[in-house]
Amino acid sequence: MTRSIWPPRGVRLVPKRLLSFTRSVHGVNVSAVTSPLVWEHVQPAAARRLLTGAVDAFAERGFQATTTRDIASRAGMSPAALYVHYPSKERLLFEISLYGHNAALEVLRSADTGSTPTDRLRSLVSAFTAWHAQHHTIARVVQYELAALSPEHLAEVATIRRAISTQIEQVLADGVHDGSFAVTDLPGTTLAVLSLSIDVARWYTPHRGDPEALGKLYADLAHRMVGA
């Protein structure tokens, strides 16, 4: 099966040990990924405040426009205090990106249920879309600030992104195999389905509707996109 090219071209994928964010995702309710409780594994508390402050700052201003002073101010700390816990602003972005991508992957894996490719695709798209709406702040950071990561950190995140892509692509391939889906370009269609859900993080605000209802709508759209 041809793999879709969702990670950036030219990225060398390097298998590495994932940080503590991986452990926080498995076995917990990832629907609360932006809740303060989810970050309790980040110790000490000062490091946790810096991390959550960085999420808000990067989502609001973008990585490049955010200063260490911005992040420290949101955490109620001095700019110099940031370097006690994180070697750089980029390291903060990497920690956030790694955690967010692992949480999104776990959402997909948990949603891959159903007896047919159609049921599985609808479940996947519904859950993935709802997650990007519910957690649009962190999702906006992890999806749209990738270019600011170092090559090494980008490669590690790209490994997870490829796993996310494969989760969708495999369901599409299964549907093509049993005649449920009419897909001539598997990598391109995988990218289109993923983009449909991911783009929600760019524009979503709570007054734009219920995330679960939005997930069902997007599941309908994805099914129409690939239906035989």
Side-chain angles (χ1 to χ4, degrees), residues 167-184:
Q167 199 75 31
I168 295 291
E169 188 170 349
Q170 184 61 60
V171 174
L172 293 177
D174 292 344
V176 170
H177 181 73
D178 76 358
S180 300
F181 303 149
V183 175
T184 56

Side-chain angles (χ1 to χ4, degrees), residues 14-20 22-23 91 94 98 156:
V14 181
K16 290 184 64 179
R17 176 186 60 84
L18 295 179
L19 301 183
S20 58
T22 306
R23 294 194 296 273
R91 179 69 186 201
F94 173 59
L98 193 65
E156 188 163 342

